[in-house]
Amino acid sequence: MGKANTYNKKNGVYYTPSDLAEFLVKQLITDTGGEILDPAYGDGALLLAAERVTKLNHPESHISLHGCDTKPVNGLLKHIPLAQLKKMDFFSFATNNKFNLVFTNPPYVRHHELDQQWIDKHKILFQDLAVLNSLSDLWAYFIVKGTLHLKAGGSMGAILPWAFIQADYALPLRRWLFERFGQIKILSLSDKFFEKADERVVMVWLKNHGAKCDSIEIGSSKTFSDDITYNNIGIESWLTQKILHTDGVEISDILTECKNAYGFSEFGDSVDVKIGVVTGADDYFIVTREEARQLNIHHKNLLPI
């Protein structure tokens, strides 16, 4: 593996495919134009997508493209003024820099790889980061700070891991976003779009910063397209530990009907339930019998999977 690939994997860098980038930005680009920021712009895929969509759909509007990145690839961005492309840590970028739109595919770095001193320092500098607990991955920090760069009425589009709708640590973040955006729209995708990465992604559109939230929509699909159906969900579903979703109906409604109409009860009401979950970090949690013997792990301390 080359040095660049090693750096990218270590730092959670996965460059955004151009078609995925275009699908994300076109939901928020309007004829009003404005200033656009990508806080981890990498090779510029999201900025270039914003430029293409604007020229195609809103040729009379003017946009100004800006980005931050510690290790950018500027080969396709030479027409953008260098002063607007900051080679710097996004968390050193002052929040008095405000934008109409923020588009991001933030780094997917796990919480156990983050430096605690870095976390403590930035939670002091940016008090809104306190909403994130110790299990939050790096992408969540980017979402909070990205929001701090929005003008009133601004919007954000983000490509995030499924953890956004499935991880316990994402619940406080979802509540924080609900309190700050007028409309929230989510598309969960089952296909994998990033080379050498196992992450499934959700596309997130957060509109009208500073307004009271009056709409939360969610859709699911194998891949992205313009004909996907989105369904409204209530605040109760948005603020559950994990957002469960099926096309056209909420899981909670199905369970309630089963209980009320057919007398179903929860399995846990009758028996004790203990469920073990392998997180995917197989190297840490799964060993062969031979490895267990070599590590002197007694068989009583092993569980079959």
Side-chain angles (χ1 to χ4, degrees):
M1 181 181 290
K3 290 183 178 179
N5 287 335
T6 301
Y7 171 88
N8 291 346
K9 182 176 181 181
K10 179 181 178 181
N11 293 278
V13 176
Y14 299 101
Y15 295 130
T16 312
S18 59
D19 53 350
L20 189 68
E22 195 161 308
F23 185 80
L24 178 77
V25 306
K26 72 180 182 180
Q27 312 291 326
L28 298 179
I29 295 285
T30 67
D31 57 6
T32 58
E35 296 183 312
I36 299 173
L37 171 70
D38 183 346
Y41 72 89
D43 63 355
L46 290 171
L47 296 178
L48 292 169
E51 186 176 61
R52 288 194 304 272
V53 169
T54 301
K55 288 181 177 179
L56 180 64
N57 298 332
H58 311 285
E60 300 301 319
S61 65
H62 172 74
I63 59 172
S64 179
L65 302 176
H66 302 257
C68 285
D69 206 295
T70 55
K71 201 168 185 178
V73 181
N74 287 339
L76 299 176
L77 302 173
K78 293 180 179 179
H79 60 293
I80 299 176
L82 192 58
Q84 295 173 199
L85 300 174
K86 307 294 186 181
K87 187 177 181 180
M88 64 186 297
D89 181 355
F90 174 53
F91 291 87
S92 298
F93 188 50
T95 53
N96 59 1
N97 294 291
K98 301 295 184 181
F99 301 87
N100 303 96
L101 295 171
V102 172
F103 293 118
T104 182
N105 171 22
Y108 294 0
V109 179
R110 304 298 187 189
H111 70 276
H112 56 267
E113 296 177 353
L114 299 179
D115 180 76
Q116 187 60 47
Q117 290 184 340
W118 182 94
I119 293 173
D120 294 341
K121 171 186 173 182
H122 289 94
K123 282 190 173 182
I124 293 173
L125 290 174
F126 310 109
Q127 295 183 5
D128 286 270
L129 291 177
V131 70
L132 304 175
N133 64 36
S134 61
L135 299 179
S136 299
D137 293 343
L138 183 57
W139 62 263
Y141 291 83
F142 269 77
I143 294 301
V144 172
K145 185 163 186 285
T147 300
L148 301 181
H149 286 276
L150 283 174
K151 297 178 180 179
S155 299
M156 177 186 293
I159 301 170
L160 302 178
W162 265 30
F164 180 69
I165 59 174
Q166 293 292 301
D168 291 348
Y169 72 78
L171 174 57
L173 174 60
R174 294 201 307 270
R175 180 183 292 110
W176 187 86
L177 295 171
F178 170 79
E179 294 169 350
R180 283 160 177 80
F181 288 93
Q183 293 88 39
I184 298 173
K185 186 176 180 180
I186 307 291
L187 173 60
S188 63
L189 299 172
S190 56
D191 270 357
K192 297 177 181 178
F193 294 93
F194 295 96
E195 185 179 358
K196 299 179 181 178
D198 292 330
E199 292 282 2
R200 293 181 178 180
V201 300
V202 294
M203 308 190 81
V204 181
W205 296 278
L206 305 164
K207 302 179 182 179
N208 200 3
H209 180 240
K212 182 179 179 180
C213 189
D214 59 15
S215 173
I216 305 174
E217 295 181 298
I218 188 167
S220 59
S221 177
K222 182 177 181 182
T223 189
F224 55 91
S225 70
D226 291 328
D227 58 0
I228 295 171
T229 299
Y230 295 85
N231 301 292
N232 287 304
I233 65 171
I235 181 60
E236 297 82 5
S237 295
W238 180 249
L239 296 182
T240 54
Q241 293 294 115
K242 294 175 174 58
I243 298 178
L244 303 175
H245 173 259
T246 59
D247 290 338
V249 64
E250 293 192 46
I251 295 293
S252 59
D253 292 338
I254 296 175
L255 296 177
T256 299
E257 182 177 356
C258 287
K259 292 178 181 179
N260 295 339
Y262 306 107
F264 282 33
S265 61
E266 295 189 19
F267 193 61
D269 293 340
S270 303
V271 297
D272 290 332
V273 180
K274 295 182 180 180
I275 300 176
V277 177
V278 176
T279 67
D282 295 0
D283 292 342
Y284 294 95
F285 298 114
I286 300 178
V287 296
T288 65
R289 292 183 183 277
E290 179 60 31
E291 289 171 332
R293 282 194 292 268
Q294 292 175 359
L295 295 169
N296 294 319
I297 301 175
H298 195 278
H299 68 86
K300 291 183 179 178
N301 297 322
L302 298 174
L303 293 174
I305 60 170

